[in-house]
Amino acid sequence: MAKINLLLILAVLASGLVLVHTAYESRRLFTERERAKAEGQRLAADAERLKAERHAQATNLRVEQVARERLGMRLISPAVVASGVAQ
């Protein structure tokens, strides 16, 4: 009878330790999941901001400004096109 009681006490202690470990692991994984979810939302917001910036950079006015300033391009007139000579 004493052996059975000892065996049952050890089983109860082991199951308690397993329960505590499982609860700890569950909380740790939940926290990690929430952190990953917040990071995903931050990355989605960054992606939307970058899309808006890319759209702003691709407007006709912006492209024309970059062509003039960086590339040294200028508007051509019909006279230059007709004569084929650059002014």
Side-chain angles (χ1 to χ4, degrees), residues 41-71:
Q41 290 173 347
R42 186 187 66 78
L43 289 173
D46 283 349
E48 289 299 319
R49 182 184 54 80
L50 289 172
K51 283 180 188 176
E53 285 180 17
R54 182 179 64 188
H55 179 70
Q57 293 292 325
T59 61
N60 289 339
L61 181 62
R62 175 72 179 147
V63 170
E64 188 175 325
Q65 178 186 9
V66 169
R68 272 195 227 117
E69 291 175 0
R70 292 187 189 165
L71 302 176

Side-chain angles (χ1 to χ4, degrees), residues 5-56:
N5 285 342
L6 182 60
L7 185 63
L8 289 175
I9 289 173
L10 290 176
V12 167
L13 287 174
S15 68
L17 290 174
V18 169
L19 178 65
V20 168
H21 177 70
T22 303
Y24 169 78
E25 197 64 23
S26 174
R27 283 192 298 269
R28 187 186 67 78
L29 290 173
F30 179 78
T31 303
E32 186 177 326
R33 181 180 138 238
E34 291 299 313
R35 195 175 300 133
K37 191 187 298 185
E39 178 72 8
Q41 290 173 347
R42 186 187 66 78
L43 289 173
D46 283 349
E48 289 299 319
R49 182 184 54 80
L50 289 172
K51 283 180 188 176
E53 285 180 17
R54 182 179 64 188
H55 179 70

